[in-house]
Amino acid sequence: MLNLLTAERIKLFRSKKLWIVLGILSLLPIYQSINSKITVHYGTKLVQAIDTVINGATGILMIEKNGLTILLVMSAFISFFIGEEFQNGTIRNALSLGRIRTHYYLSKFVISALLSLVGVIVMTAIGMISFSVVFGFGDVAGISDYFSFAIKSFSTLYLLILANVSIYVMISFLSKNSGISLIWSFLYTIGTGFGAGIFQQTKHFKYVTNWYTESFLFYSDFARPADITQFPEMIMVSLITIVLSSTLGILIFKRTDIK
């Protein structure tokens, strides 16, 4: 397993895909802080419930503000990261050396999880700095213990992202093709994300959407006390999603014929 992770790390650092992902996630908060400054300059007042990030303190919510962008970027990265192994036939090299398929699957998931973690940490840090420079650090309305809030909100938001990363890894191993994986990952993200918004307007299906992490990521305000109380539920749904998707992905991958 360690040898696989080492090999994956070396391949990743030599790949342009890594730097493209980090580049997008690094530049986005800078652009958004400048755009927000221009918006305020023309007389529009930033509202936390709408704009999510309005100063340095609320910069901890950069993941919430850019949830869809992060998911689309990670789905594209994972689709090519794993799909190319099947298309180029390099997966056979690892398996022919006696690597256990479970370890191979988990190595891809771990690398994807680590990249998403580094990416959101960089995005959040740059976002907090950028918005602090433009609007000052400020505070989060209604939050007295900021440090505790920052740790809990960031951890919960990352787990919501990680749950989707596990889904994208499963889809990529099932499709075995970068293009097909990219399409299905996109459809999954849009379907469960925006579909949840539609079902939340109904009486009988409203609570079903709480089993989809995108419903929390897209439709919750992580600075509102009522939504903060749902952090344990968000964590539980995320962990269940990770376990179920990884287990299903590994079981199917074990039975897949690698040609």
Side-chain angles (χ1 to χ4, degrees):
M1 180 69 176
L2 291 177
N3 291 335
L4 281 172
L5 288 174
T6 301
E8 295 294 346
R9 178 178 60 81
I10 294 174
K11 287 191 293 184
L12 186 61
F13 275 98
R14 292 177 178 176
S15 171
K16 294 181 180 179
K17 293 187 287 291
L18 167 66
W19 308 111
I20 292 174
V21 171
L22 293 180
I24 293 173
L25 298 183
S26 299
L27 294 176
L28 188 58
I30 298 175
Y31 164 77
Q32 289 174 333
S33 64
I34 295 174
N35 185 61
S36 295
K37 178 63 175 179
I38 295 174
T39 300
V40 171
H41 177 74
Y42 284 100
T44 301
K45 183 179 180 180
L46 297 180
V47 179
Q48 192 281 319
I50 299 174
D51 300 289
T52 306
V53 177
I54 60 174
N55 54 26
T58 54
I60 196 67
L61 303 177
M62 286 300 297
I63 299 176
E64 179 191 354
K65 183 177 180 65
N66 299 289
L68 179 59
T69 300
I70 296 172
L71 293 184
L72 293 179
V73 169
M74 288 307 304
S75 66
F77 166 79
I78 293 171
S79 295
F80 288 101
F81 177 56
I82 297 175
E84 288 178 353
E85 297 280 5
F86 288 95
Q87 292 172 237
N88 298 333
T90 51
I91 186 175
R92 292 195 297 270
N93 298 334
L95 298 182
S96 64
L97 294 175
R99 304 301 184 190
I100 300 174
R101 291 197 179 196
T102 300
H103 290 174
Y104 186 86
Y105 185 101
L106 291 177
S107 69
K108 293 293 187 182
F109 173 66
V110 170
I111 292 297
S112 300
L114 289 176
L115 176 58
S116 64
L117 176 60
V118 172
V120 296
I121 288 177
V122 170
M123 167 182 277
T124 302
I126 294 177
M128 294 181 73
I129 294 172
S130 299
F131 276 85
S132 293
V133 170
V134 177
F135 299 104
F137 188 77
D139 57 17
V140 181
I143 302 298
S144 56
D145 187 353
Y146 178 76
F147 182 77
S148 176
F149 164 75
I151 295 297
K152 291 178 180 179
S153 59
F154 180 85
S155 300
T156 303
L157 282 164
Y158 172 67
L159 278 176
L160 292 173
I161 294 295
L162 185 59
N164 286 278
V165 166
S166 69
I167 294 290
Y168 299 145
V169 171
M170 179 190 70
I171 291 175
S172 295
F173 271 96
L174 295 182
S175 62
K176 297 179 290 184
N177 180 282
S178 298
I180 296 175
S181 174
L182 187 60
I183 293 172
W184 279 110
S185 296
F186 177 80
L187 291 176
Y188 166 80
T189 303
I190 299 300
T192 56
F194 293 97
I198 297 174
F199 284 116
Q200 282 183 345
Q201 306 303 318
T202 65
K203 179 179 180 181
H204 300 290
F205 295 98
K206 179 178 180 180
Y207 297 102
V208 175
T209 59
N210 286 341
W211 285 100
Y212 293 96
T213 54
E214 284 88 344
S215 64
F216 292 120
L217 190 60
F218 294 166
Y219 302 106
S220 298
D221 181 357
F222 285 73
R224 191 176 68 171
D227 290 337
I228 291 175
T229 60
Q230 290 186 298
F231 280 3
E233 182 180 351
M234 297 180 192
I235 292 173
M236 180 190 70
V237 172
S238 297
L239 293 176
I240 291 175
T241 301
I242 293 169
V243 171
L244 290 180
S245 60
S246 297
T247 301
L248 180 61
I250 290 172
L251 290 176
I252 296 178
F253 178 51
K254 282 185 175 181
R255 300 181 180 182
T256 301
D257 182 24
I258 306 298
K259 298 180 180 180

